[in-house]
Amino acid sequence: MINRRTFSKAVGLGTGTAAVALTGLQSQASATTAAQQPTGGTAPTVPTITPGTHRSFPALKRVKAGVLDVGYAELGPHHGPVVICLHGWPYDIHSYVDVAPLLAGLGYRVIVPYLRGHGTTRFLSSRTPRTAEQSAIALDIIALMDALKIHQAVLAGFDWGSRTGGIIAALWPDRVKALVSAGGYVITDRKAQLAPAAPAVEHNWWYQWYFATERGKKAMENPDERLALCRYVWTLVSPNWNFDDATYQRTAQAFLNPDYAATVLFNYRWRIGLVDGEHRYDRYEQRLSAQPSIGVPTVTLDPALDPFTPPGDGSAYRSHFTGPYEHRTIADIGHNLPQEAPTVFAQAVVDADHL
């Protein structure tokens, strides 16, 4: 989830621009600040749908990419402009089960991959370390694009997905046509993570500290306890989302991947310096430690009820984005933004593509 140090710096800045409710079936909101006029023509309006309209994807596909055999959903015309939707933790591709058909209906080719350790994605070799440093996940997506012969795509994500999209936009900007990043700039600064954050921030990250213990490790390695923990996180970070058991169970199947516990535990322990990453990724992590700017056209989204969203109007991270840019605050929505407010998220993708 969001870089806790970025959030810590934002504590006390106030609420900033108020979120404005949308009318219609979805009653979600977007308040746009720091906007520049689009230069890519007029963006089409995404149809409004009720969240949960769709429950499943067409038959999933697989492709060997880098160190992985990646499982992914694909919708839309094969030769359409490409959008890659990236999920976070503890979620899976179903966060985009409504977003993907909305974008496909507008002519986009939509790719929704399971990240390493999730769902049908598998490591090709038993000898590959089950690490999950931020650059490794980003390189997984570059490898996926190469395997599918996709030179450039719009990247859209939240949580781990926002971080992954931001890293690719920062280090390989020629591969990114535009970016949608829920939570803003969330590239991890490991050195900053070593210092204590504000108490409220530390409280929000309880599961990270839990995963740092042997007790938390045992819980993640026990499938029943793992599923209960992840479901509980959903209720905390999306307080207004009234999901049912069937919705959770569809996603929870992705948490039964044999590498899930190892991947998640490594990612959160790595962020706070408890484990070292693979040397093959060191050069990328050195570049990311400088908190590189992002120059591709970007729309940042802040769900107002997300406990990891810095309060305010995005000004806490605005300086990291140097290209065409818009910021939107989404009222009454929590952390799983694309599944809670699919029309708003899909519209952000279309608008970013037209900046």
Side-chain angles (χ1 to χ4, degrees), residues 14-28:
T15 56
T17 304
V20 181
L22 290 177
T23 60
L25 288 174
Q26 220 167 315
S27 71
Q28 278 96 30

Side-chain angles (χ1 to χ4, degrees), residues 2-17:
I2 195 170
N3 184 322
R4 71 186 183 96
R5 300 305 304 165
T6 301
F7 181 36
S8 182
K9 292 176 184 176
V11 171
L13 291 178
T15 56
T17 304

Side-chain angles (χ1 to χ4, degrees), residues 86 137-142 145 155 163-176 187 288 296:
L86 301 168
I137 300 172
L139 285 164
D140 290 344
I141 302 305
I142 292 289
M145 294 174 70
L155 301 184
R163 180 172 299 106
T164 301
I167 290 168
I168 298 172
L171 299 188
W172 299 280
D174 61 310
R175 308 303 298 268
V176 183
I187 296 175
L288 294 173
V296 305

